[in-house]
Amino acid sequence: MRVHRRHVGIHADADGAAPHLPRRRSRRTRHEDQGGQHPEHHWRPHRFLLWVTAGDRSRAQVVTWEPVSASDYPEIRAELRERIQQDPWAAALGIQYLDLRRGYCRVRLRLQPHMVNFQGYPHGSVIFALADVAFGAACNSHGEAAVALNVTIAFLDAVTPDATLIAEGREKKQGRRAGFYEIEVTTEDGAPVALAHCVAHRVGR
């Protein structure tokens, strides 16, 4: 069996930051390129077209490559990063932004004594808020306003009241309006705490 691979319509942003798949340029996009403020380019993972040959039969198979590490996600504009990181709610909770890229966000929160419930464990709403901040930053990192449509969270394990938590949000798929994200909450040493699945809606289209 022989396998042949070639790229399918991949090109990079103007600054060469990361590849994205071409799409039809709308009238609105062309107008914005002529001087109006336009959002970040829509970015999607690599796609490869594999030709698999077995005997006298061949077939094509499209394989998608997804980012593995944070550095695989494209950088965003400095002014957009600053605007997102000035979130008042995140500041009130003491959440720190560790990394923010297009479709990706990593934040940290050191739990405080007033963040526990009557049982002495960190309150679930605090863990949810940390995941939600990572989600909100990741889904707005394209430069277009997005709001939450749905968030479901599973609490996997309890943590100590003085723990430091990390939330890492990753874009799984971005359509024309809806975006799908997965947020992992862990301790600093990587122990799982919670897992959230989120859907965002772009309001500017």
Side-chain angles (χ1 to χ4, degrees), residues 113-130:
H114 65 275
M115 295 179 175
V116 301
N117 56 26
F118 68 93
Q119 295 175 321
Y121 294 107
H123 205 287
S125 63
V126 175
I127 299 173
F128 181 93
L130 179 64

Side-chain angles (χ1 to χ4, degrees), residues 12-91:
D13 287 342
D15 57 1
H20 65 283
L21 296 179
R23 61 172 180 169
R24 184 178 179 181
R25 289 168 56 82
S26 66
R27 186 178 304 171
R28 173 173 173 264
T29 303
R30 291 196 299 270
H31 171 73
E32 289 167 340
D33 286 346
Q34 293 174 358
Q37 183 178 2
H38 64 281
E40 298 285 340
H41 287 292
H42 181 56
W43 173 82
R44 294 179 182 174
H46 280 288
R47 291 199 309 178
F48 296 98
L49 182 62
L50 298 183
W51 285 96
V52 181
T53 303
D56 58 350
R57 302 184 64 180
S58 298
R59 62 184 176 87
Q61 180 179 355
V62 176
V63 177
T64 301
W65 170 88
E66 293 186 358
V68 176
S69 64
S71 60
D72 292 331
Y73 291 84
E75 296 281 355
I76 63 174
R77 303 189 313 270
E79 59 270 22
L80 176 60
R81 179 193 310 275
E82 182 178 357
R83 181 162 60 88
I84 293 175
Q85 292 182 351
Q86 288 178 346
D87 186 292
W89 177 235

Side-chain angles (χ1 to χ4, degrees), residues 7 42 148 164:
H7 286 82
H42 181 56
T164 297

Side-chain angles (χ1 to χ4, degrees), residues 4 16 27 44 52 58 78 89 95 108 110 132 142 179 183-184 195-196 202:
H4 307 277
R27 186 178 304 171
R44 294 179 182 174
V52 181
S58 298
W89 177 235
I95 294 175
R108 176 173 58 198
R110 183 177 297 278
D132 189 46
H142 290 271
I183 317 297
E184 292 182 284
L195 180 64
R202 287 184 175 176

